[in-house]
Amino acid sequence: MSDWNADASRDLMSLGGRLAMLTRGEGSWVWDADDKRYLDFLGGIAVNCLGHAHPVFVEAVSTQAATLSHVSNYFATPAQLEIAARLKRLAGTGERGRVYLANSGTEANETAIKLARLHGARFAERGERVRTRIVVVEGAFHGRTMGTLSLTPKAAYRDPFLPAIPDVVTVEQSIESLDAAFADGDIAAMIVEPIQGEAGVVEMPDGFLARARALTAEHDALLILDEVQTGSGRTGEWFAFQREGVIPDAVTVAKSIGAGFPLGALITFAAASDLFYPGTHNSTFGGNPLASAVANAVLGFIEDEHVLDNVVARGDELRTAVEELPQVTGTTGAGLLIGIRLRDPIAAQVRAAAHEHGLIINAPTPDVIRIAPAYTIGDAEVQEFLTRFGAALADVAASASTQETLV
């Protein structure tokens, strides 16, 4: 077999190290080029909600690929109409809701930026100044394109590509900071993640989303929720905003919606559904029949088999068990999006040790491990995770003890 790492270095853009070359997967397990088996508890970063090679996914891809895979956006297809209606129903938009189908979460969020601009432009129709300001939250991650990067206030991601799009206002994760931002007025929209995955599975403070909803309504601004990571059932509800009792003007979703097949969406509510008009946005591949059919099959299976009950139960089980392990100080998140908070900034070492033990997790911050396993995990996968994760923690603790002895 060729040296895959050398091949990757020669042929791929240098955008980050690759831990292994994975060649196949089944359920919650994947195998690398050396036939080493790994328990996948990251799920392609909250994507593989049914695990790998699930029969529902495989059948949907095969059947639709043999029927109709792509047509231009000059045409509609049955699968496209079905997924749009399904997303409206699951999100609870009512009849006025509308759906735009994209290819990724970043594209869905780019569309949300344009939605905000269209809303802000309407103020000129009544003789007021056009609004362009968008409020985002400290720690947010909304994507890596120029537009979404402008909404991502992390210097390491954003600063190499400055100047960003203007008029983005960053608030702290507090109601006081939120109030202060809206006191200045002229806000077109606020875009916020109910749970910030890339920041280390950080939940918004109690009452934060409700206050954001009240302020945006009071100031005639849009409330747009980025549920790329939390949507499609990841938290145990179809959307995290349903846990909060908040109704947004729009929500973006991707990742788990296609269980590994690229698809994203912007779902609008009420008057926000009237903002786009012909010529203002579109996509060559967005809503293609293949992606739409897969998403319908995946979401239909989750719904028909009551899989979200397992998401809630296994999430509770994992949090309870993990919090008893050494070095763990607590957990955050909901359902099967879980942040494991560590006593010391050793997350990178724990991730590396877990990899050696055949466990895939990741370390979004120095003191947090993030897991986002398949919705279908059972007793065997939970126990394997606890065994391997516990071994990784023990390895890191032993290494630290050795270093202290040497010093």
Side-chain angles (χ1 to χ4, degrees):
M1 179 173 292
S2 65
D3 183 345
W4 67 267
N5 219 335
D7 292 345
S9 297
R10 183 192 65 236
D11 298 330
L12 298 176
M13 288 284 185
S14 180
L15 300 175
R18 291 170 175 81
L19 302 173
M21 184 166 75
L22 301 181
T23 57
R24 62 189 177 94
E26 182 179 347
S28 289
W29 297 91
V30 291
W31 286 260
D32 69 13
D34 297 320
D35 212 32
K36 179 177 178 177
R37 188 174 76 150
Y38 300 82
L39 179 64
D40 184 3
F41 255 53
L42 186 57
I45 311 183
V47 169
N48 300 102
C49 62
L50 299 185
H52 300 272
H54 192 281
V56 167
F57 178 90
V58 173
E59 181 180 358
V61 171
S62 302
T63 300
Q64 189 61 43
T67 306
L68 187 69
S69 61
H70 174 76
V71 296
S72 78
N73 51 45
Y74 291 125
F75 303 93
T77 65
Q80 181 188 64
L81 299 181
E82 183 180 350
I83 191 62
R86 184 186 297 274
L87 289 174
K88 285 177 56 176
R89 176 172 57 80
L90 296 179
T93 68
E95 181 58 33
R96 290 194 68 188
R98 295 292 183 270
V99 174
Y100 169 74
L101 297 170
N103 305 288
S104 67
T106 294
E107 290 183 35
N109 284 337
E110 282 281 349
T111 311
I113 295 172
K114 295 177 78 172
L115 186 79
R117 288 290 179 86
L118 288 171
H119 176 70
R122 286 200 164 184
F123 289 89
E125 298 174 4
R126 56 196 197 206
E128 299 179 31
R129 185 171 63 183
V130 170
R131 295 187 184 184
T132 57
R133 300 174 76 206
I134 297 175
V135 175
V136 299
V137 181
E138 182 181 21
F141 179 85
H142 296 293
R144 292 182 183 268
T145 55
M146 285 303 298
T148 56
L149 199 57
S150 301
L151 307 184
T152 300
K154 184 173 181 178
Y157 292 165
R158 183 191 59 197
D159 288 2
F161 305 101
L162 293 176
I165 64 170
D167 298 336
V168 175
V169 179
T170 302
V171 300
E172 297 175 355
Q173 296 175 16
S174 72
I175 292 177
E176 293 77 14
S177 182
L178 193 57
D179 286 342
F182 277 88
D184 292 339
D186 289 339
I187 303 296
M190 179 176 184
I191 300 180
V192 56
E193 302 157 276
I195 301 174
Q196 295 179 338
E198 297 301 316
V201 193
V202 175
E203 301 168 75
M204 292 297 100
D206 288 343
F208 187 88
L209 288 182
R211 185 57 180 160
R213 175 67 284 180
L215 286 168
T216 49
E218 178 185 345
H219 292 271
D220 196 7
L222 298 181
L223 177 62
I224 303 172
L225 299 184
D226 177 346
E227 295 230 25
V228 168
Q229 208 161 136
T230 55
S232 307
R234 174 59 59 183
T235 66
E237 299 282 353
W238 284 109
F239 296 91
F241 72 78
Q242 293 165 336
R243 301 171 60 242
E244 302 286 339
V246 170
I247 304 298
D249 296 294
V251 59
T252 58
V253 64
K255 289 191 179 287
S256 294
I257 190 173
F261 204 99
L263 182 66
L266 172 72
I267 307 166
T268 55
F269 295 67
S273 300
D274 302 328
L275 290 169
F276 279 109
Y277 55 89
T280 49
H281 198 54
N282 226 317
S283 168
T284 296
F285 294 106
N288 68 76
L290 184 51
S292 298
V294 173
N296 277 314
V298 168
L299 299 181
F301 175 81
I302 293 171
E303 193 169 18
D304 293 344
E305 299 300 320
H306 307 287
V307 177
L308 296 190
D309 291 345
N310 194 61
V311 171
V312 174
R314 297 302 179 179
D316 290 344
E317 180 182 3
L318 282 165
R319 276 185 289 275
T320 298
V322 162
E323 288 175 358
E324 297 178 357
L325 295 175
Q327 272 289 344
V328 175
T329 61
T331 59
T332 56
L336 287 175
L337 178 61
I338 301 173
I340 303 170
R341 313 205 85 78
L342 304 175
R343 183 175 298 109
D344 300 307
I346 56 171
Q349 296 96 305
V350 173
R351 184 218 56 76
H355 183 81
E356 293 302 313
H357 283 279
L359 174 64
I360 299 175
I361 54 180
N362 91 317
T365 67
D367 62 347
V368 173
I369 291 295
R370 173 175 51 176
I371 61 173
Y375 299 177
T376 51
I377 57 171
D379 290 339
E381 288 83 6
V382 169
Q383 290 307 310
E384 279 289 344
F385 167 77
L386 293 172
T387 298
R388 295 174 188 230
F389 186 61
L393 289 172
D395 284 358
V396 173
S399 176
S401 177
T402 300
Q403 291 297 321
E404 290 175 4
T405 300
L406 291 175
V407 171

